[in-house]
Amino acid sequence: MQIIATKQELLNQVEACKKEGKTIGLVPTMGALHEGHASLVRRSVADNDVTFVSVFVNPTQFNNKEDLLKYPRNLERDAALLSSIGATYVFAPTPEEMYTADEMKDTFQFDFAGLDEVMEGKMRPGHFNGVVQVVSRLFYLVRPDRAYFGEKDFQQLCIIHHMVERSSLKDTFGKLEIVDCPIVREESGLARSSRNERLSADEKQTAVGISRVLFESQQWAKEAGATVQGVQQRVIDAINGIDGLEVEYYEIVDRTTLRPTDTFSNAIGCVTVYCGPVRLIDNIRY
Ligand code: PAF
């Protein structure tokens, strides 16, 4: 496995792979890798001749400076994991290598067709601009055949599908397939997340309540007379009822439009919860 720090070196390696007719898989990450990321990388290694993994804590998608500073970083450990599961290249640039000073100022503009106006987009203004900025740049540089994203960040996944399949940028990516990968959970049910590293042992125990309530809510949705509004409120009340957890939002929306829905068909419930100072997200399909 080779670690690459510059765009030029990345372009050289991509060009060499393309010349040899190799298929390319890309797994964009912000590092602090866990079993969820490993599942994306394993899938890419199985599907493609070579796998590029980017490890880049993208400053332009953080609207909270403290969150950016505290985001866990450990390239050595990440590289050891990636090498053990068969990644071919790791691209780990500095912010200065990735962006010009102007680009760093979060001036990137993109037409989200409204997908950024709800949930994470509403709570974290500018967040998805930064995500599209970095992911589109990685796509231009790596020109992958397939790119792998986790369903835990469901809104991000919808926006990336929109970018590649429907937006004005769509013709610039060639024949690129976005591969959706299921949430990986700990045995307790807690969704794997780099942010879990910031939870104490007690907080981690408390955080298990989030997925427990979400799974229970699948049963609530099947009860006679259950309404979307009713289940939504019941989830909020149940999570808030757990000492140490505070719901920021829970919205049951249509999986395609991300707009509120009044039926459980094609619905997904997306939650953001504070566990102490740590902001966790999860989702469940109905
Ligand atoms: O999901 C993430 O870790 C990030 O948003 C991504 C897609 C790597 C872009 O920085």
Side-chain angles (χ1 to χ4, degrees):
M1 192 185 74
Q2 197 173 326
I3 301 182
I4 299 170
T6 67
K7 282 185 292 198
Q8 191 52 56
E9 179 60 11
L10 178 65
L11 290 171
N12 295 346
Q13 295 297 344
V14 168
E15 194 48 38
C17 293
K18 294 270 177 197
K19 270 210 179 108
E20 290 173 28
K22 290 182 171 161
T23 54
I24 296 180
L26 170 67
V27 184
T29 83
M30 297 204 299
L33 303 179
H34 50 71
E35 201 37 52
H37 298 107
S39 74
L40 310 186
V41 175
R42 287 196 190 96
R43 178 101 188 255
S44 173
V45 169
D47 291 349
N48 303 283
D49 295 324
V50 292
T51 291
F52 286 77
V53 180
S54 59
V55 174
F56 178 60
V57 182
N58 173 33
T60 66
Q61 73 185 73
F62 284 81
N63 53 329
N64 178 332
K65 289 283 162 277
E66 188 168 322
D67 197 20
L68 172 61
L69 286 174
K70 291 204 169 143
Y71 203 85
R73 293 163 169 88
N74 193 335
L75 183 58
E76 224 173 282
R77 203 176 66 190
D78 290 344
L81 170 71
L82 291 172
S83 159
S84 75
I85 57 178
T88 331
Y89 300 97
V90 176
F91 177 50
T94 60
E96 294 70 28
E97 174 66 22
M98 205 57 175
Y99 297 127
T100 63
D102 267 358
E103 287 170 339
M104 204 86 101
K105 285 186 199 138
D106 195 13
T107 51
F108 185 85
Q109 291 294 323
F110 178 71
D111 173 18
F112 289 92
L115 292 171
D116 65 328
E117 286 163 12
V118 294
M119 302 190 290
E120 286 301 280
K122 204 159 71 182
M123 294 298 166
R124 304 176 68 188
H127 166 67
F128 286 119
N129 265 311
V131 170
V132 171
Q133 180 184 27
V134 74
V135 172
S136 59
R137 169 123 338 153
L138 289 166
F139 287 172
Y140 292 133
L141 292 168
V142 179
R143 293 182 282 146
D145 296 276
R146 299 181 189 86
Y148 297 78
F149 294 89
E151 289 182 347
K152 184 165 76 67
D153 296 290
F154 187 79
Q155 190 171 5
Q156 167 173 284
L157 188 56
C158 279
I159 286 172
I160 287 164
H161 274 288
H162 166 73
M163 172 174 109
V164 169
E165 290 152 21
R166 294 180 296 277
S167 81
S168 56
L169 295 179
K170 72 176 194 297
D171 294 329
T172 55
F173 301 125
K175 256 180 69 196
L176 162 60
E177 182 193 349
I178 302 300
V179 182
D180 305 358
C181 300
I183 296 179
V184 177
R185 298 183 180 279
E186 299 195 357
E187 225 167 278
S188 64
L190 179 67
R192 302 256 183 190
S193 164
S194 305
R195 289 190 168 85
N196 293 354
E197 281 187 26
R198 291 176 51 203
L199 298 172
S200 68
D202 280 353
E203 284 170 339
K204 211 165 170 194
Q205 199 50 45
T206 305
V208 170
I210 303 167
S211 55
R212 196 187 62 236
V213 171
L214 292 184
F215 284 122
E216 276 171 22
S217 77
Q218 287 180 313
Q219 298 310 314
W220 302 341
K222 290 183 188 143
E223 288 172 4
T227 64
V228 167
Q229 275 294 322
V231 170
Q232 197 168 280
Q233 194 56 50
R234 204 167 155 187
V235 167
I236 294 172
D237 294 343
I239 297 179
N240 282 337
I242 301 170
D243 219 18
L245 296 183
E246 196 185 328
V247 174
E248 185 179 57
Y249 65 77
Y250 182 59
E251 291 190 32
I252 299 178
V253 295
D254 179 86
R255 293 208 283 268
T256 314
T257 63
L258 299 183
R259 292 285 154 184
T261 175
D262 50 19
T263 129
F264 287 108
S265 103
N266 201 44
I268 187 166
C270 298
V271 76
T272 300
V273 180
Y274 278 95
C275 180
V278 184
R279 188 173 183 273
L280 299 171
I281 71 173
D282 200 347
N283 62 64
I284 196 88
R285 288 173 187 236
Y286 291 101

Short mmCIF file of all heavy atoms in Angstrom, two decimals, residues 43-71:
data_model
loop_
_atom_site.label_atom_id
_atom_site.label_comp_id
_atom_site.label_asym_id
_atom_site.label_seq_id
_atom_site.Cartn_x
_atom_site.Cartn_y
_atom_site.Cartn_z
N ARG A 43 -15.51 -3.86 0.53
CA ARG A 43 -16.42 -3.96 -0.63
C ARG A 43 -15.73 -3.44 -1.89
O ARG A 43 -15.79 -4.06 -2.95
CB ARG A 43 -17.67 -3.13 -0.29
CG ARG A 43 -18.71 -3.03 -1.31
CD ARG A 43 -19.88 -3.99 -1.03
NE ARG A 43 -20.80 -3.99 -2.15
CZ ARG A 43 -21.97 -3.37 -2.15
NH1 ARG A 43 -22.40 -2.76 -1.06
NH2 ARG A 43 -22.75 -3.39 -3.21
N SER A 44 -15.01 -2.32 -1.75
CA SER A 44 -14.31 -1.75 -2.91
C SER A 44 -13.21 -2.69 -3.38
O SER A 44 -13.01 -2.88 -4.58
CB SER A 44 -13.73 -0.38 -2.55
OG SER A 44 -12.93 0.09 -3.61
N VAL A 45 -12.47 -3.27 -2.44
CA VAL A 45 -11.39 -4.19 -2.80
C VAL A 45 -11.97 -5.40 -3.55
O VAL A 45 -11.38 -5.88 -4.53
CB VAL A 45 -10.61 -4.64 -1.53
CG1 VAL A 45 -9.66 -5.78 -1.83
CG2 VAL A 45 -9.85 -3.44 -0.94
N ALA A 46 -13.14 -5.84 -3.14
CA ALA A 46 -13.77 -6.99 -3.82
C ALA A 46 -14.24 -6.62 -5.22
O ALA A 46 -14.18 -7.43 -6.15
CB ALA A 46 -14.94 -7.51 -2.99
N ASP A 47 -14.71 -5.36 -5.39
CA ASP A 47 -15.34 -4.97 -6.66
C ASP A 47 -14.37 -4.44 -7.71
O ASP A 47 -14.72 -4.36 -8.88
CB ASP A 47 -16.34 -3.81 -6.42
CG ASP A 47 -17.57 -4.23 -5.63
OD1 ASP A 47 -17.76 -5.44 -5.43
OD2 ASP A 47 -18.33 -3.32 -5.22
N ASN A 48 -13.18 -3.97 -7.30
CA ASN A 48 -12.32 -3.21 -8.21
C ASN A 48 -10.89 -3.76 -8.22
O ASN A 48 -10.47 -4.41 -7.27
CB ASN A 48 -12.27 -1.73 -7.78
CG ASN A 48 -13.66 -1.12 -7.72
OD1 ASN A 48 -14.23 -0.79 -8.75
ND2 ASN A 48 -14.22 -1.03 -6.52
N ASP A 49 -10.14 -3.39 -9.29
CA ASP A 49 -8.73 -3.82 -9.35
C ASP A 49 -7.89 -3.06 -8.32
O ASP A 49 -6.99 -3.63 -7.72
CB ASP A 49 -8.16 -3.56 -10.74
CG ASP A 49 -8.85 -4.41 -11.80
OD1 ASP A 49 -9.20 -5.56 -11.49
OD2 ASP A 49 -9.05 -3.90 -12.92
N VAL A 50 -8.15 -1.77 -8.17
CA VAL A 50 -7.41 -0.99 -7.17
C VAL A 50 -8.37 -0.15 -6.35
O VAL A 50 -9.44 0.26 -6.83
CB VAL A 50 -6.34 -0.04 -7.81
CG1 VAL A 50 -5.21 -0.81 -8.44
CG2 VAL A 50 -6.98 0.90 -8.80
N THR A 51 -8.00 0.11 -5.09
CA THR A 51 -8.83 0.94 -4.21
C THR A 51 -8.01 2.09 -3.66
O THR A 51 -6.94 1.88 -3.06
CB THR A 51 -9.39 0.08 -3.05
OG1 THR A 51 -10.35 -0.84 -3.59
CG2 THR A 51 -10.07 0.94 -2.00
N PHE A 52 -8.52 3.30 -3.91
CA PHE A 52 -7.95 4.50 -3.31
C PHE A 52 -8.82 4.87 -2.11
O PHE A 52 -10.04 4.92 -2.24
CB PHE A 52 -7.97 5.67 -4.30
CG PHE A 52 -6.96 5.59 -5.41
CD1 PHE A 52 -7.16 4.74 -6.49
CD2 PHE A 52 -5.81 6.36 -5.38
CE1 PHE A 52 -6.24 4.66 -7.52
CE2 PHE A 52 -4.87 6.28 -6.41
CZ PHE A 52 -5.08 5.43 -7.48
N VAL A 53 -8.18 5.14 -0.98
CA VAL A 53 -8.92 5.63 0.19
C VAL A 53 -8.38 7.02 0.50
O VAL A 53 -7.16 7.19 0.64
CB VAL A 53 -8.70 4.72 1.42
CG1 VAL A 53 -9.47 5.25 2.63
CG2 VAL A 53 -9.14 3.29 1.11
N SER A 54 -9.26 8.02 0.57
CA SER A 54 -8.77 9.34 0.98
C SER A 54 -8.99 9.49 2.48
O SER A 54 -10.01 9.05 3.02
CB SER A 54 -9.47 10.46 0.20
OG SER A 54 -10.86 10.39 0.41
N VAL A 55 -8.00 10.06 3.13
CA VAL A 55 -8.07 10.35 4.57
C VAL A 55 -7.82 11.84 4.70
O VAL A 55 -6.68 12.31 4.57
CB VAL A 55 -7.01 9.54 5.35
CG1 VAL A 55 -7.00 9.97 6.82
CG2 VAL A 55 -7.28 8.04 5.24
N PHE A 56 -8.89 12.60 4.85
CA PHE A 56 -8.76 14.06 4.83
C PHE A 56 -9.87 14.66 5.68
O PHE A 56 -11.06 14.52 5.35
CB PHE A 56 -8.86 14.56 3.38
CG PHE A 56 -8.79 16.06 3.25
CD1 PHE A 56 -7.68 16.77 3.69
CD2 PHE A 56 -9.85 16.77 2.68
CE1 PHE A 56 -7.62 18.16 3.57
CE2 PHE A 56 -9.79 18.16 2.55
CZ PHE A 56 -8.68 18.85 3.00
N VAL A 57 -9.50 15.30 6.79
CA VAL A 57 -10.49 15.98 7.62
C VAL A 57 -10.76 17.32 6.93
O VAL A 57 -9.95 18.25 7.02
CB VAL A 57 -9.98 16.17 9.07
CG1 VAL A 57 -11.06 16.84 9.92
CG2 VAL A 57 -9.61 14.83 9.68
N ASN A 58 -11.87 17.35 6.22
CA ASN A 58 -12.15 18.46 5.30
C ASN A 58 -12.64 19.70 6.06
O ASN A 58 -13.79 19.73 6.51
CB ASN A 58 -13.23 18.00 4.31
CG ASN A 58 -13.70 19.12 3.43
OD1 ASN A 58 -12.92 20.03 3.10
ND2 ASN A 58 -14.96 19.08 3.04
N PRO A 59 -11.79 20.75 6.18
CA PRO A 59 -12.19 21.89 7.01
C PRO A 59 -13.44 22.61 6.51
O PRO A 59 -14.20 23.16 7.32
CB PRO A 59 -10.97 22.83 6.96
CG PRO A 59 -10.15 22.36 5.82
CD PRO A 59 -10.47 20.92 5.57
N THR A 60 -13.70 22.56 5.18
CA THR A 60 -14.81 23.37 4.67
C THR A 60 -16.19 22.77 4.98
O THR A 60 -17.20 23.41 4.74
CB THR A 60 -14.70 23.62 3.15
OG1 THR A 60 -14.85 22.38 2.45
CG2 THR A 60 -13.37 24.24 2.79
N GLN A 61 -16.25 21.56 5.52
CA GLN A 61 -17.57 21.01 5.86
C GLN A 61 -17.89 21.13 7.34
O GLN A 61 -18.94 20.66 7.77
CB GLN A 61 -17.70 19.57 5.37
CG GLN A 61 -16.91 18.53 6.14
CD GLN A 61 -17.00 17.15 5.50
OE1 GLN A 61 -16.42 16.90 4.45
NE2 GLN A 61 -17.75 16.25 6.10
N PHE A 62 -16.97 21.75 8.10
CA PHE A 62 -17.22 21.94 9.54
C PHE A 62 -17.72 23.35 9.76
O PHE A 62 -17.01 24.32 9.48
CB PHE A 62 -15.92 21.73 10.34
CG PHE A 62 -15.54 20.29 10.50
CD1 PHE A 62 -14.89 19.62 9.48
CD2 PHE A 62 -15.83 19.59 11.66
CE1 PHE A 62 -14.54 18.28 9.60
CE2 PHE A 62 -15.49 18.25 11.80
CZ PHE A 62 -14.84 17.60 10.77
N ASN A 63 -18.94 23.48 10.28
CA ASN A 63 -19.40 24.83 10.59
C ASN A 63 -19.09 25.16 12.05
O ASN A 63 -19.27 26.29 12.48
CB ASN A 63 -20.90 24.99 10.31
CG ASN A 63 -21.71 23.93 11.00
OD1 ASN A 63 -21.25 22.82 11.19
ND2 ASN A 63 -22.91 24.27 11.39
N ASN A 64 -18.55 24.16 12.77
CA ASN A 64 -18.20 24.38 14.17
C ASN A 64 -16.70 24.14 14.34
O ASN A 64 -16.21 23.02 14.18
CB ASN A 64 -19.03 23.37 15.00
CG ASN A 64 -18.74 23.46 16.47
OD1 ASN A 64 -17.64 23.83 16.89
ND2 ASN A 64 -19.71 23.08 17.28
N LYS A 65 -15.99 25.22 14.62
CA LYS A 65 -14.51 25.15 14.67
C LYS A 65 -14.02 24.15 15.72
O LYS A 65 -13.03 23.47 15.54
CB LYS A 65 -13.92 26.54 14.97
CG LYS A 65 -14.03 27.51 13.82
CD LYS A 65 -13.00 27.24 12.72
CE LYS A 65 -13.32 27.86 11.37
NZ LYS A 65 -14.22 27.16 10.47
N GLU A 66 -14.77 24.09 16.85
CA GLU A 66 -14.34 23.19 17.91
C GLU A 66 -14.47 21.72 17.47
O GLU A 66 -13.59 20.89 17.75
CB GLU A 66 -15.21 23.43 19.16
CG GLU A 66 -14.67 22.66 20.33
CD GLU A 66 -15.31 23.09 21.63
OE1 GLU A 66 -15.57 24.30 21.79
OE2 GLU A 66 -15.56 22.21 22.47
N ASP A 67 -15.54 21.43 16.74
CA ASP A 67 -15.74 20.08 16.21
C ASP A 67 -14.57 19.73 15.29
O ASP A 67 -14.03 18.61 15.35
CB ASP A 67 -17.07 20.06 15.44
CG ASP A 67 -17.60 18.65 15.21
OD1 ASP A 67 -17.16 17.73 15.94
OD2 ASP A 67 -18.42 18.46 14.31
N LEU A 68 -14.15 20.69 14.47
CA LEU A 68 -13.02 20.46 13.55
C LEU A 68 -11.73 20.18 14.34
O LEU A 68 -11.00 19.24 14.05
CB LEU A 68 -12.83 21.68 12.63
CG LEU A 68 -11.59 21.70 11.74
CD1 LEU A 68 -11.57 20.50 10.78
CD2 LEU A 68 -11.51 22.99 10.92
N LEU A 69 -11.49 20.99 15.37
CA LEU A 69 -10.27 20.81 16.17
C LEU A 69 -10.26 19.47 16.88
O LEU A 69 -9.24 18.82 16.99
CB LEU A 69 -10.14 21.94 17.20
CG LEU A 69 -9.73 23.29 16.64
CD1 LEU A 69 -9.78 24.36 17.72
CD2 LEU A 69 -8.32 23.22 16.04
N LYS A 70 -11.45 19.09 17.39
CA LYS A 70 -11.52 17.87 18.20
C LYS A 70 -11.69 16.61 17.38
O LYS A 70 -11.72 15.51 17.92
CB LYS A 70 -12.69 17.97 19.19
CG LYS A 70 -12.45 19.01 20.26
CD LYS A 70 -13.27 18.72 21.49
CE LYS A 70 -12.83 19.59 22.65
NZ LYS A 70 -13.94 20.00 23.47
N TYR A 71 -11.84 16.76 16.06
CA TYR A 71 -12.08 15.57 15.25
C TYR A 71 -10.87 14.65 15.38
O TYR A 71 -9.74 15.07 15.19
CB TYR A 71 -12.33 15.94 13.78
CG TYR A 71 -13.10 14.85 13.08
CD1 TYR A 71 -14.48 14.81 13.15
CD2 TYR A 71 -12.44 13.82 12.42
CE1 TYR A 71 -15.20 13.77 12.58
CE2 TYR A 71 -13.14 12.79 11.84
CZ TYR A 71 -14.53 12.78 11.93
OH TYR A 71 -15.23 11.74 11.36
#
